[in-house]
Amino acid sequence: MKIALFGNPNTGKTTVFNQLTDSYAYVGNWSGVTVEKKIGKINHSFVSIIDLPGIYSLNPLTKDEAVAADFLLHESFDQTLNILNAAQLKRNLLLTIELLEYGKPTVLVLNMMDIVKKQGLELNPTILGNELHATVFQTDARTNKGMDTLKSFLISNPSLTSSQLFQLDYGKRVESIIHEGQNLLTTTYQHEIRFARWLMIQFLAGNKMIEEFIVANHYDLLVPLKKDPQLLEDTIYAVRLEFIEALLKKATLKEATQKTTALTKKIDRLTTHPILGMPLFLILFYLMFKLTFDWVGGPLSDLLDAFLSGPFSSNSSLFLTWLGANDLIHSLIVDGLIAGVGGVLVFMPQIFVLFACISFLEDSGYMARAALVMDRLMELVGLNGKAFIPLLIGFGCNVPGIMAARTIEQPKERLITTLISPFMSCSARLPIYSLFIAAFFEKNQALIVLSLYVLGILVAIILAKCYSLIFKTTDSSIFIVDLPEYNLPKLAILWRGTWDKGKGFVKKAGTVIFGGTVLIWSLSYFNASGVASSIDTSFMAAIGSFLAPFFVPLGFYSWQAVSAIITGVLAKEVVGSTLLILFHVSGESALIGQLSSVFTPLQAYSFLVFVLLYIPCFAVLGAIKAETGSWFWAIYSAVSSFIIAYVVSFMIYQTGILLHF
């Protein structure tokens, strides 16, 4: 049993999916979060829910919207589950009509009923169900209200059928064309009658994907039927809108007394202010970093570091000695795995605090305002606020950020966004920042980290402007963003959002970082003659020393620092592991003392800037190749980012020397 889940962006569609399937997909309070279909089962039953990207209509403007339209053309399913924002029915019902015309049995979910109640709006779901020939439920997915009833219905009614086909009368002229095309599709091209009618309506309504489908399948007899296409499109839209207005008039028991709450209006005056909006954005991020490094995350990381580098490391060493482990195994586990993997895991509290803050801002409704504020800045560089959404996602991980660029309509804008996304400071860089700011910038930790995040954004924006001039982006994307009511995020949703973002870091610790740590330890333990007499004679020392002169103009030229840069291409988290192993220390506090012997504060900041901007990790390069369909852009991203990192770090270090920092 397959149920296809459709809905406009910001209707709570993905939250409904999570509640129904007890699984978790990425949730954010903006459009374009779901960029490909996800599948989950209801209570481990035979009923599968297919979560499709949020769309405003079946005529796709973006790559992610095309996923939903393509699904209707080529996939088989049994029912449609359409999620609607009950406070925005006039707009949401346009998609509902298109889905009902497809002919599958449909369940409508009027979600966000808490907002409806706040607005004083009262609806009659029975009238809506009767007029639309669909089953209607009212829910508030964020608080799980009405979800158990919906879940029980979907499980207990697997053979739901549509007793009467929903059908609008588009007028004599349009209906005659639909009927003629429908006959051709059923007799000549052997399509089922309901699908044939839906296909003709979409064709006459100007759906580009349907037009491509008709051409690709050589349905040549249909093409001459579409005369005066603009008139046909306008007529179909007008009939739908007239029907929706009449339906809502009939189904509305009490009109809304206010569209948004007074509190939302007051907050929006500040958060979306053309002048104050940007400083507020920076202040919120500054406070987020204070929580992460100074107030909560930092102290927790110190406690975890004290445990791993102290009792855990020493007891593990004693246990291995008791077992009679040889020096090779002893060094691999204590100096390699515990020092390397453990040295990265100590930053887990900071990463989870950061993600908890980001999840709070998302679920509260603020991130949609941030995109709106950034739209003004993005327009100056040839993009729009929609491009800033993938960049925001990139603060967690650049890979989903790059994938989220699918929501951008214009191919050139999508490519530009993909190329600048790696300059967003992802969570993998956070452990490196933590090490260096604790060693050199203890009094200004949040400010230094904020400067790195802002620098990444500025570099991305400058590059976007250059690319827009080079690629000559003349067609601009349409930026539509819903500004939802402000919510006080629920603890369960915050935890899910935090865990979903942070679990990738934990997974990396057991896979990529583990493997990278073993490789780094091996290169630092052996040389051409066998076991190195000291780490200074190892393979890693030889590689780092050979490349060190190239980095002298940037201020960091110890072979340990250069070696960490090299291994960081595998995964940025490995930079910290490399330094821990190469300096032969077992914890953050011990490494901090060692760093001051090879770095000055200026050199340390230059190093952090280079780590921020240089070659993306392998996973990001793979995502760029997958999204652009070409290795050229992945290789270009690696080469160009290295050059940019070198130039910016050079400028910062040399300027710092001139100013005697």
Side-chain angles (χ1 to χ4, degrees):
M1 177 68 186
K2 292 182 180 179
I3 300 176
L5 184 61
F6 290 91
N8 284 187
N10 255 338
T11 57
K13 182 176 63 65
T14 306
T15 307
V16 171
F17 173 78
N18 294 333
Q19 298 283 16
L20 288 175
T21 61
D22 297 319
S23 66
Y24 187 70
Y26 185 73
V27 176
N29 218 339
W30 56 58
S31 61
V33 172
T34 307
V35 293
E36 54 190 9
K37 63 182 180 183
K38 298 179 177 68
I39 301 175
K41 289 186 179 291
I42 302 179
N43 289 352
H44 306 289
S45 68
F46 57 87
V47 181
S48 295
I49 305 289
I50 303 167
D51 181 25
L52 291 150
I55 55 174
Y56 290 104
S57 78
L58 295 181
N59 186 4
L61 293 174
T62 65
K63 286 179 72 176
D64 65 312
E65 289 180 345
V67 171
D70 185 73
F71 179 85
L72 290 175
L73 284 172
H74 300 107
E75 301 286 342
S76 62
F77 64 102
D78 303 290
Q79 293 180 28
T80 299
L81 185 60
N82 181 203
I83 314 302
L84 303 96
N85 180 346
Q88 299 284 348
L89 283 182
K90 184 175 181 179
R91 182 177 64 201
N92 286 200
L93 283 170
L94 287 167
L95 174 63
T96 302
I97 289 173
E98 293 185 281
L99 294 172
L100 290 169
E101 288 176 335
Y102 188 77
K104 290 290 184 181
T106 301
V107 175
L108 302 180
V109 178
L110 305 183
N111 196 31
M112 301 185 175
M113 289 302 297
D114 58 326
I115 297 175
V116 169
K117 290 179 181 178
K118 285 180 184 178
Q119 294 179 354
L121 176 65
E122 290 184 20
L123 300 168
N124 188 325
T126 303
I127 292 176
L128 287 171
N130 291 339
E131 293 291 322
L132 296 170
H133 308 298
T135 307
V136 179
F137 288 88
Q138 299 179 86
T139 65
D140 179 21
R142 291 182 68 258
T143 58
N144 206 29
K145 290 181 181 177
M147 292 305 301
D148 290 338
T149 305
L150 174 63
K151 189 184 294 187
S152 299
F153 177 84
L154 294 175
I155 294 174
S156 60
N157 292 272
S159 57
L160 181 68
T161 57
S162 182
S163 58
Q164 184 178 355
L165 174 65
F166 174 83
Q167 185 169 311
L168 287 181
D169 185 347
Y170 288 106
K172 187 175 180 181
R173 181 171 181 269
V174 177
E175 284 293 338
S176 65
I177 298 173
I178 293 173
H179 184 70
E180 188 176 351
Q182 186 176 324
N183 287 338
L184 286 171
L185 285 165
T186 53
T187 56
T188 306
Y189 302 119
Q190 308 302 311
H191 281 295
E192 191 266 338
I193 188 168
R194 287 190 175 186
F195 179 79
R197 178 177 173 82
W198 174 82
L199 196 68
M200 276 305 300
I201 294 172
Q202 290 293 316
F203 176 51
L204 299 180
N207 189 318
K208 304 300 181 186
M209 180 165 279
I210 299 300
E211 292 173 357
E212 293 172 4
F213 177 81
I214 287 171
V215 172
N217 287 277
H218 305 290
Y219 294 168
D220 301 327
L221 295 175
L222 298 178
V223 177
L225 298 178
K226 191 175 180 180
K227 299 174 181 177
D228 200 353
Q230 190 60 53
L231 178 61
L232 292 171
E233 292 174 24
D234 292 344
T235 301
I236 290 173
Y237 178 78
V239 169
R240 288 172 175 171
L241 191 60
E242 184 180 355
F243 170 78
I244 290 170
E245 289 174 344
L247 172 63
L248 292 179
K249 188 175 181 180
K250 187 185 298 185
T252 301
L253 301 177
K254 183 181 178 182
E255 293 286 350
T257 55
Q258 54 183 7
K259 292 296 181 185
T260 56
T261 64
L263 179 61
T264 292
K265 289 179 180 178
K266 288 179 181 178
I267 298 175
D268 275 348
R269 289 193 193 106
L270 179 61
T271 56
T272 62
H273 193 278
I275 297 174
L276 299 177
M278 183 65 71
L280 178 64
F281 174 80
L282 295 175
I283 290 170
L284 287 174
F285 268 64
Y286 175 75
L287 292 174
M288 185 170 70
F289 294 136
K290 289 291 284 184
L291 280 168
T292 301
F293 294 102
D294 292 344
W295 298 336
V296 180
L300 290 175
S301 288
D302 291 341
L303 290 173
L304 184 57
D305 175 56
F307 169 72
L308 290 177
S309 62
F312 184 79
S313 180
S314 58
N315 288 331
S316 298
S317 179
L318 290 171
F319 180 69
L320 289 169
T321 302
W322 179 77
L323 287 176
N326 61 35
D327 291 342
L328 182 70
I329 298 300
H330 189 282
S331 178
L332 172 62
I333 294 175
V334 177
D335 302 327
L337 297 179
I338 294 177
V341 178
V344 173
L345 284 177
V346 299
F347 300 108
M348 192 166 58
Q350 293 177 339
I351 287 172
F352 273 80
V353 169
L354 177 66
F355 285 153
C357 292
I358 292 175
S359 296
F360 183 92
L361 292 177
E362 287 174 355
D363 197 53
S364 68
Y366 173 72
M367 283 303 197
R369 276 79 179 176
L372 182 64
V373 168
M374 292 303 297
D375 179 52
R376 302 181 184 102
L377 178 61
M378 301 302 280
E379 278 185 353
L380 297 176
V381 297
L383 300 174
N384 66 29
K386 185 175 285 188
F388 192 66
I389 292 171
L391 304 185
L392 284 173
I393 295 173
F395 287 151
C397 177
N398 294 154
V399 173
I402 288 169
M403 292 173 65
R406 297 175 188 175
T407 61
I408 299 169
E409 297 93 341
Q410 300 301 328
K412 289 179 180 178
E413 286 189 26
R414 190 160 57 242
L415 175 60
I416 292 172
T417 306
T418 299
L419 292 177
I420 65 176
S421 289
F423 296 106
M424 296 300 100
S425 188
C426 66
S427 62
R429 297 170 172 100
L430 207 60
I432 313 165
Y433 299 164
S434 243
L435 279 171
F436 280 81
I437 62 174
F440 300 101
F441 311 105
E442 189 175 0
K443 294 181 180 179
N444 299 292
Q445 294 190 33
L447 193 61
I448 292 296
V449 175
L450 179 63
S451 73
L452 292 168
Y453 275 73
V454 172
L455 178 61
I457 294 171
L458 288 176
V459 169
I461 287 173
I462 292 169
L463 282 176
K465 182 61 177 178
C466 295
Y467 287 141
S468 65
L469 294 174
I470 294 169
F471 297 153
K472 298 179 180 178
T473 54
T474 53
D475 297 330
S476 59
S477 298
I478 301 168
F479 180 48
I480 301 173
V481 61
D482 289 311
L483 298 182
E485 294 276 336
Y486 286 103
N487 298 305
L488 185 62
K490 302 294 180 182
L491 188 60
I493 293 175
L494 275 183
W495 164 244
R496 281 180 167 182
T498 303
W499 171 245
D500 187 63
K501 296 178 181 74
K503 68 183 179 184
F505 178 79
V506 179
K507 184 179 178 181
K508 273 189 177 182
T511 53
V512 176
I513 300 172
F514 182 92
T517 296
V518 173
L519 174 63
I520 296 158
W521 173 85
S522 301
L523 291 173
S524 66
Y525 195 82
F526 296 101
N527 60 21
S529 303
V531 177
S533 57
S534 72
I535 197 169
D536 293 323
T537 62
S538 65
F539 282 125
M540 187 62 84
I543 296 169
S545 298
F546 176 75
L547 295 173
F550 182 73
F551 292 92
V552 170
L554 310 187
F556 50 91
Y557 39 80
S558 70
W559 68 265
Q560 294 97 332
V562 174
S563 298
I565 288 291
I566 296 168
T567 58
V569 178
L570 177 68
K572 293 298 179 285
E573 296 96 334
V574 179
V575 171
S577 300
T578 303
L579 291 172
L580 284 159
I581 293 170
L582 299 185
F583 279 107
H584 260 310
V585 291
S586 59
E588 179 190 358
S589 56
L591 179 57
I592 287 171
Q594 292 287 339
L595 289 176
S596 59
S597 66
V598 294
F599 287 98
T600 66
L602 177 59
Q603 291 169 336
Y605 192 75
S606 175
F607 182 83
L608 291 178
V609 169
F610 192 84
V611 168
L612 166 69
L613 301 175
Y614 89 118
I615 305 173
C617 68
F618 285 167
V620 174
L621 293 175
I624 293 173
K625 188 270 175 185
E627 293 302 305
T628 61
S630 170
W631 276 113
F632 170 81
W633 291 115
I635 295 169
Y636 170 81
S637 179
V639 174
S640 63
S641 60
F642 183 87
I643 294 171
I644 290 166
Y646 196 94
V647 170
V648 176
S649 292
F650 175 84
M651 291 171 61
I652 287 173
Y653 181 65
Q654 296 300 327
T655 302
I657 290 176
L658 290 174
L659 298 176
H660 304 291
F661 281 145

